[in-house]
Amino acid sequence: MHPEIIDGFMTGIKQVASPYFNDRPDNQLPTLLVIHNISLPPDRYGGPHVEQLFTGQLDPNEHPYFATIAHLEVSSHFFIRRTGELIQFVSCDKRAWHAGVSSYHGRKNCNDFSIGIELEGCDTESFTDVQYQVLAKLTELLFQFYPLTDIVGHSDIAPGRKTDPGPYFDWIRYRTLINFNQEKSMLEQHLPVLQLLNDIESEMRKTSLWQTSAPEPSAFESVEPFCVDRMHAHEWLQWIFLPRMKALIDMRAELPTNFALHPYFEEAFKEQDEHNKLLELIKQLDELSQN
Ligand SMILES: [Zn+2]
C-alpha cells in the first residue's frame, strides 16, 4: 500500500499526539519544508526523550539538560529516528511549533506556512543511510499533497540562533535522492504510454500509413487542431503527436491529460476496416490520459 496523507496525517506510520499545535492563520497551506536535527540528551540516540519533549512529558530531573528545556512547548510534524522509524506528532494541516522566531524571504513566523521534519542527530555526526531514504520518500509524499516550493534547514530561517540540521546534513545527497526517485516514478508512469505509442507506430507501418518523408514545412505552421487544414490525420499522428509525446517522455515531463484523439480518427478512418486496430490503440491512449 502506498502511503497517503489523510487530514494531514500520513497513513501507516506511528502517530503520537502532541498538544503543541494550533491552526495555521487563515488555514493557509504549507509551502516550506524545514529540516532540523535533535537528540536528547544531546548527542545520545534511541531514547524516549524526544517524544516526551514534544508531548510535554519530559522529566526535568532525569538529566541536567532536560531541566533547561522541559518547560518548552515545542513540537514538530515529523521525527525520523536513526533506525528510519518515522513518527508524526502534528497534522500537516496544523501549525506545529518547530521553527520559533524565524523568517524566510522576508516572511516571518515560518511555523505558519511550513512543515517541520526533525532528524534524530546532531551537528557533529553524519546521519544514517536509512534516514536519507525515509526523508526523501516523506519529502516526495509531502510534495504530492501540499503546494510546497522550498526546502530549507532550520539554520537558514533562524540564522545565528539555530545551527541545525548542521554541517553533517548532506544536502546534495538529499536532493539527488529526491530527483532520482521522481525520475524513476515518472518513468514508471510513462511506460504504458510509451508502449502504446510504439504499438501505434508499428501498426501504422504495417498498414502503410507510415511515411518516409515529412509533409511540406508549411504544413507544420498550421494553427488548427490536428493541423486539420494542412495534414491528413495519420500525418499529424506521425509527425506531430508521436514525436511530441516521446520528447516529453524523454524529458521525464508531465504528459498532457484528458485528450480525445479517437473521435477525430474514427471520423478520418471511417469505413476503412484495415485501420480498426489503430483506432483501438488510439482509444486506449485516450483512456490512459484520463485522470
Ligand atoms: Zn531545529
Side-chain angles (χ1 to χ4, degrees):
M1 270 268 294
H2 281 291
E4 282 186 274
I5 294 182
I6 298 173
D7 295 332
F9 293 103
M10 182 172 165
T11 58
I13 62 167
K14 179 175 174 181
Q15 298 286 339
V16 176
S18 169
Y20 302 136
F21 69 91
N22 59 347
D23 287 339
R24 296 185 186 276
D26 310 317
N27 287 318
Q28 59 187 292
L29 291 165
T31 53
L32 183 68
L33 205 56
V34 182
I35 311 297
H36 303 258
N37 79 43
I38 189 170
S39 49
L40 290 177
D43 308 343
R44 297 242 307 268
Y45 306 138
H49 305 112
V50 173
E51 278 179 58
Q52 290 173 354
L53 177 68
F54 290 169
T55 52
Q57 292 169 13
L58 190 64
D59 179 356
N61 302 313
E62 202 178 322
H63 187 281
Y65 182 70
F66 295 172
T68 69
I69 59 164
H71 64 284
L72 296 176
E73 298 186 334
V74 291
S75 63
S76 152
H77 294 94
F78 296 97
F79 176 48
I80 303 174
R81 287 190 177 280
R82 309 292 288 181
T83 58
E85 186 189 16
L86 179 55
I87 303 171
Q88 183 168 11
F89 293 93
V90 173
S91 162
C92 297
D93 296 341
K94 301 292 181 184
R95 183 178 175 278
W97 302 348
H98 57 96
V101 177
S102 54
S103 83
Y104 182 66
H105 287 177
R107 250 177 115 186
K108 289 190 163 53
N109 298 319
C110 296
N111 284 338
D112 291 352
F113 56 92
S114 69
I115 292 175
I117 302 175
E118 295 274 3
L119 298 170
E120 188 175 27
C122 62
D123 285 4
T124 54
E125 194 176 355
S126 301
F127 296 85
T128 66
D129 292 346
V130 67
Q131 280 182 305
Y132 284 102
Q133 300 287 346
V134 171
L135 177 61
K137 288 275 177 213
L138 174 60
T139 303
E140 287 152 30
L141 185 71
L142 294 172
F143 269 76
Q144 271 174 38
F145 279 83
Y146 295 98
L148 297 167
T149 53
D150 296 282
I151 306 174
V152 294
H154 197 183
S155 54
D156 297 317
I157 57 171
R161 195 173 69 80
K162 291 290 175 181
T163 58
D164 62 315
Y168 282 84
F169 183 71
D170 189 340
W171 284 98
I172 292 172
R173 179 176 181 182
Y174 173 38
R175 289 185 188 278
T176 307
L177 212 48
I178 298 170
N179 290 339
F180 174 77
N181 288 347
Q182 270 173 348
E183 282 203 1
K184 192 164 147 265
S185 83
M186 194 61 95
L187 187 63
E188 277 165 10
Q189 282 173 39
H190 285 170
L191 275 179
V193 177
L194 187 59
Q195 181 65 52
L196 266 178
L197 298 176
N198 289 337
D199 290 350
I200 285 172
E201 177 175 335
S202 70
E203 184 60 24
M204 287 175 76
R205 287 181 186 279
K206 254 188 242 167
T207 54
S208 305
L209 286 177
W210 196 258
Q211 300 175 333
T212 48
S213 55
E216 291 297 307
S218 65
F220 289 87
E221 287 159 21
S222 169
V223 294
E224 298 295 322
F226 304 107
C227 302
V228 66
D229 55 339
R230 301 193 184 180
M231 287 189 196
H232 292 296
H234 64 274
E235 290 178 319
W236 176 84
L237 196 59
Q238 176 178 350
W239 298 101
I240 306 276
F241 183 76
L242 293 179
R244 277 189 194 163
M245 291 291 280
K246 288 187 176 180
L248 290 173
I249 290 172
D250 278 347
M251 293 186 292
R252 311 275 186 267
E254 294 282 346
L255 298 181
T257 54
N258 299 320
F259 53 74
L261 307 186
H262 186 257
Y264 174 61
F265 280 85
E266 200 174 32
E267 185 61 28
F269 292 149
K270 82 178 163 211
E271 287 160 33
Q272 300 180 45
D273 287 349
E274 68 271 31
H275 299 312
N276 284 351
K277 175 82 195 296
L278 180 59
L279 282 175
E280 179 54 34
L281 293 169
I282 289 171
K283 196 172 171 188
Q284 286 175 25
L285 195 61
D286 279 356
E287 284 165 4
L288 215 52
S289 80
Q290 308 302 310
N291 60 4

